[in-house]
Amino acid sequence: MTALAGQERGLIGARDMTAAVTGIGVVAPGGVGTETWWESVLRGHNGIGPVTRFDASGSPARLAGEVHGFADEEHVSGRLLPQTDRVTRFALAAAAEALDSAALDPGRLPDYAVGVVTANAAGGFEFGQRELQALWSRGSKHVGAYQSFAWFYAANSGQISIRHRLRGPSGVVVSEQAGGLDAVAQARRRLRGGIQAVVTGGADSTLCPWGWTAHLAAGGMSTAEDPGRAYLPFDADACGHVVGEGGALLVVEDGDTARARGARVLGLVAGCASTFDPAPGTGRPRLLAAAELALADAGVTPAEVDVVFADAAGERAADRAEAQALTTLFGPFGVPVTAPKSMTGRLLSGGSAVDLAAALLALRDQVIPPTVGTARVADDCPVDLVTGRPRPARLRTALVLARGRGGFNAATVVRASD
């Protein structure tokens, strides 16, 4: 993967445009629905707790960020329930909210004017586990036909497209935690290619025995038993991350088109970039190149950034590397940094999409949400971490960072709408 910022500048026939965010939909630990979730974030409500979706008592890690209060039948028809995994139901709910909040009716637009680009790192894990169990225990005749697509990474984009008759260019991005930002970058490229709007973002749900086994094998999970001390970004006592489920979807439109129809613009996607990890031994920290490229793409300097939404791995070495990247760009304690994902856990593709939603809402409300849990920022992480309570601030520009397993790095700059 090369830097999307550079790719966009080199697109043949690309046009100058403003990518305006006009709608947000969120399903995440702490709240179903954007405003419900955002209110819980500003309260500092910790959505991490003991796993309830399956018996994790025999596991070394027993905490997760679960979505509570999500009634599947309220968001998905009875016909679709047997065809979809939990993550697709999350995505359908978030997409419907995003389109509703944007007041965008795709049926009033020309065919092929609206597309869908989502990110998903794991597919329909729970659905796949159920069907594989049927295969192993009862035989192939007991595996449903829906297994052929319900587990697939692109199922979310496909089901959203079908429900809302979105026939424009669509796709799916698979780059783990970086995916939510990479999907938005891809959506902006589609706008530059001429379509009017894209539903974009990311979601994941892997809270089932099969998914849990994969997370344990990958390593880095916190084995702490206290939900308030399990996931501690940049803390001297950081002991690993907590896995969560959920995500966010946005409606991103051509700015001129959005304003012409009188849409409320929540913010502008000003800069995007993605990179692979630097070569070993170069001394350059992860995320630094992606952040530099995104700022350059947005045409802003580090001095113009008012807040950073950090990747916040919750692992000492990874936190130290991110802090190094931030101090290289901004200087020690040079910009407020926050990690609201400390209240949800790491949501794979959904994590960076939720951070992007948080950044846009922070610009709207002129407040930086807190990082919970972290009590003592490590001496080797000289960042101005916002903890305890929200911090009012004058906010015009936010930088959102994400790292995915496999070497993926992504950065997005969002700016307040003038």
Side-chain angles (χ1 to χ4, degrees):
M1 181 182 297
T2 57
L4 289 177
Q7 289 179 357
E8 287 173 352
R9 289 198 186 93
L11 282 176
I12 297 175
R15 59 195 179 93
D16 291 333
M17 46 74 65
T18 301
V21 179
T22 57
I24 302 175
V26 177
V27 176
V32 176
T34 300
E35 298 302 334
T36 299
W37 164 78
W38 182 236
E39 189 273 333
S40 77
V41 168
L42 295 181
R43 282 192 293 112
H45 170 73
N46 190 353
I48 293 171
V51 173
T52 65
R53 291 192 53 76
F54 64 96
D55 182 7
S57 60
S59 168
R62 295 187 288 274
L63 299 176
E66 295 183 337
V67 174
H68 297 293
F70 184 87
D72 295 25
E73 63 277 5
E74 294 180 4
H75 302 280
V76 178
S77 69
R79 180 181 62 83
L80 271 182
L81 284 173
Q83 302 182 33
T84 52
D85 180 78
R86 180 172 173 86
V87 68
T88 300
R89 298 166 192 171
F90 287 169
L92 285 166
E97 184 192 10
L99 286 165
D100 184 64
S101 69
L104 181 67
D105 180 3
R108 299 176 65 88
L109 298 175
D111 280 350
Y112 313 108
V114 185
V116 186
V117 179
T118 66
N120 182 259
F125 243 61
E126 190 173 35
F127 193 104
Q129 175 179 321
R130 185 173 63 248
E131 295 300 303
L132 286 173
Q133 283 180 313
L135 172 65
W136 295 333
S137 63
R138 303 172 65 190
S140 60
K141 292 182 179 180
H142 296 276
V143 177
Y146 299 133
Q147 167 66 0
S148 62
F149 62 82
W151 72 272
F152 193 49
Y153 309 102
N156 299 343
S157 289
Q159 293 288 6
I160 293 167
S161 174
I162 292 168
R163 171 180 280 189
H164 298 286
R165 300 181 64 81
L166 309 182
R167 302 174 65 190
S170 298
V172 63
V173 177
V174 183
S175 52
E176 216 251 0
Q177 188 81 17
L181 300 187
D182 287 338
V184 171
Q186 178 76 350
R188 189 173 70 145
R189 295 182 71 204
R190 294 301 189 188
L191 294 179
R192 288 185 168 181
I195 70 169
Q196 293 184 24
V198 184
V199 177
T200 186
D204 265 295
S205 179
T206 55
L207 301 185
C208 62
W210 193 23
W212 207 247
T213 300
H215 289 301
L216 291 171
M221 291 181 70
S222 171
T223 58
E225 297 184 0
D226 178 359
R229 296 292 295 166
Y231 180 28
L232 308 172
F234 302 107
D235 195 293
D237 296 325
C239 56
H241 68 275
V242 173
V243 174
E245 63 176 353
L249 291 175
L250 316 175
V251 173
V252 182
E253 297 186 56
D254 177 280
D256 291 341
T257 302
R259 290 186 177 89
R261 71 177 183 86
R264 174 191 58 168
V265 176
L266 299 170
L268 309 175
V269 180
C272 301
S274 63
T275 62
F276 276 135
D277 281 354
T282 62
R284 284 180 63 80
R286 290 186 69 180
L287 286 173
L288 180 58
E292 290 172 335
L293 286 166
L295 292 174
D297 187 36
V300 303
T301 67
E304 295 176 88
V305 175
D306 302 307
V307 61
V308 174
F309 286 74
D311 175 69
E315 302 169 16
R316 291 291 294 117
D319 286 348
R320 188 162 50 245
E322 184 168 19
Q324 182 186 352
L326 293 174
T327 55
T328 299
L329 274 174
F330 304 106
F333 308 103
V335 65
V337 176
T338 188
K341 61 168 63 73
S342 58
M343 294 174 250
T344 64
R346 293 180 70 81
L347 313 183
L348 301 182
S349 296
S352 53
V354 170
D355 276 351
L356 195 56
L360 291 160
L361 295 169
L363 296 179
R364 182 193 70 180
D365 294 346
Q366 297 291 283
V367 63
I368 302 172
T371 306
V372 305
T374 299
R376 182 168 63 94
V377 177
D379 291 340
D380 56 7
C381 294
V383 296
D384 177 16
L385 191 67
V386 177
T387 61
R389 64 185 64 185
R391 181 189 296 181
R394 185 180 183 277
L395 305 175
R396 296 292 298 168
T397 304
L399 173 66
V400 183
L401 301 175
R403 290 173 290 197
R405 291 184 186 273
F408 299 103
N409 305 287
T412 300
V413 176
V414 291
R415 305 196 72 173
S417 175
D418 293 329

